[in-house]
Amino acid sequence: MAKQHSKRFRKASENHDRNKPFSVADAVAQVKERASAKFDETVDLAIKLKIDAKQADQLVRGSLSLPHGIGKSMRVVAFADGEMAEAAKAAGAIEAGGQELVDRIAGGWMDFDVAVAHPSMMRFLSKLGKVLGPKGLMPSPKSGTVTDKVAEAVAEFAAGKIEFRNDKEGNVHMVVGKVSFDADKLVDNINAAIAHIKAIRPQAVKGEYMSGVFLASTMGPGFRIVNQAEPAAAQ
C-alpha cells in the first residue's frame, strides 16, 4: 500500500521536483520556506554512500560537533565509577554509574540519547548489547563514546555533539539544526557535516563514494543537494 502523506506534507510538496539539484544555500532556503508545522522542525541531512554495509572495513561511523550545534541538548548517561562518575554528573550526565546503571537499563529504563563509557566499564556492558545495539546507543571507541576522558565527552555530547553511523542501506542521517536557525548557520553546519563524511571515507571503498545528499525538515519534503563529488561546473 502506498504511503499516505498528510495534507500539510502535500501542501509543502507542491511544485517540488524531487530530482532537481540545489546548492546548499538554496536547499536551506527551500526547507525553511516550506516548513509549516507549529513546532520548530528539525533539519535532517541524509547522505547516500556507495559502501557495502556488510563489510566491516567499509562502515562509516563517528561523532561530530557542528559549528552552531543542533539546537537541542542531549540526555547523556555515563558508565563510570567513583570520582569519575561524580565528574560526569558535574559535566552534565543525567545518570552515572557502573553495574547499578547497567541493571537499571537492562530493566527497561531508556530515557537518554547518548551513552558514554570508560574503557574499564565495558566488561559490564556486554549484557546490554542486544538492548543498546539496535538503538545505536552502544558505546564505541569509533564514535568517541568509549574514552578515558568521560567528563569531557559527556560535556560535548550534552551540548549537542552528534553520533552517526551508516544504516544497512549505506545511508548516513544527521541532525544539522532547526528550521529557526539563521540560514547561514544551517549552511555552515551542512557543509561541515558533508566535509566530515568525505574526510572519513573508508580506504576500502573504490570509485564513487557519495552518491546523493538530501535535506529535509521533520514534516517537509526532501531536497537534493548538487552532487558533492562533482566540480561546480557540473551543477
Side-chain angles (χ1 to χ4, degrees):
M1 180 181 294
K3 181 178 180 180
Q4 296 297 311
H5 290 295
S6 67
K7 183 177 180 180
R8 177 181 285 115
F9 180 89
R10 294 195 298 272
K11 178 68 175 177
S13 300
E14 288 181 355
N15 302 315
H16 170 44
D17 180 356
R18 297 183 54 147
N19 295 314
K20 179 182 177 180
F22 291 85
S23 67
V24 172
D26 287 342
V28 166
Q30 287 288 330
V31 166
K32 288 175 69 68
E33 179 182 336
R34 294 174 186 254
S36 59
K38 294 181 180 179
F39 60 90
D40 190 7
E41 296 180 51
T42 295
V43 180
D44 297 295
L45 184 72
I47 302 176
K48 185 174 180 58
L49 303 175
K50 284 200 169 182
I51 61 174
D52 184 346
K54 295 181 180 179
Q55 302 299 319
D57 60 354
Q58 294 192 33
L59 301 184
V60 174
R61 181 177 184 179
S63 58
L64 173 66
S65 292
L66 295 174
H68 305 290
I70 60 172
K72 175 186 177 182
S73 57
M74 307 294 279
R75 299 169 298 170
V76 184
V77 298
F79 294 98
D81 57 13
E83 293 182 359
M84 196 176 300
E86 293 304 315
K89 288 183 178 180
I94 60 172
E95 293 289 347
Q99 186 63 58
E100 69 280 9
L101 181 55
V102 171
D103 292 341
R104 185 178 179 190
I105 294 171
W109 182 74
M110 293 290 292
D111 296 333
F112 58 92
D113 305 301
V114 180
V116 173
H118 187 271
S120 65
M121 292 287 111
M122 293 307 291
R123 67 185 187 277
F124 297 118
L125 294 180
S126 58
K127 66 183 293 184
L128 295 181
K130 292 183 179 180
V131 177
L132 299 181
K135 296 181 179 296
L137 293 173
M138 190 68 177
S140 164
K142 289 186 177 181
S143 64
T145 48
V146 175
T147 174
D148 291 323
K149 299 179 179 179
V150 173
E152 183 178 314
V154 166
E156 290 177 347
F157 282 105
K161 186 175 185 178
I162 56 175
E163 288 185 86
F164 61 85
R165 62 188 301 176
N166 64 267
D167 62 20
K168 63 182 180 180
E169 304 299 331
N171 305 309
V172 171
H173 297 271
M174 290 187 187
V175 174
V176 291
K178 295 284 189 177
V179 166
S180 62
F181 277 26
D182 289 343
D184 288 346
K185 290 184 177 180
L186 283 172
V187 169
D188 285 347
N189 279 357
I190 293 162
N191 284 332
I194 293 172
H196 185 74
I197 295 301
K198 285 183 178 180
I200 61 171
R201 171 181 178 143
Q203 292 185 348
V205 177
K206 307 302 180 184
E208 187 180 18
Y209 169 54
M210 189 178 292
S211 63
V213 182
F214 304 86
L215 192 71
S217 65
T218 306
M219 305 296 290
F223 294 88
R224 179 186 291 272
I225 292 176
V226 67
N227 191 345
Q228 295 291 311
E230 296 178 354
Q235 296 183 20

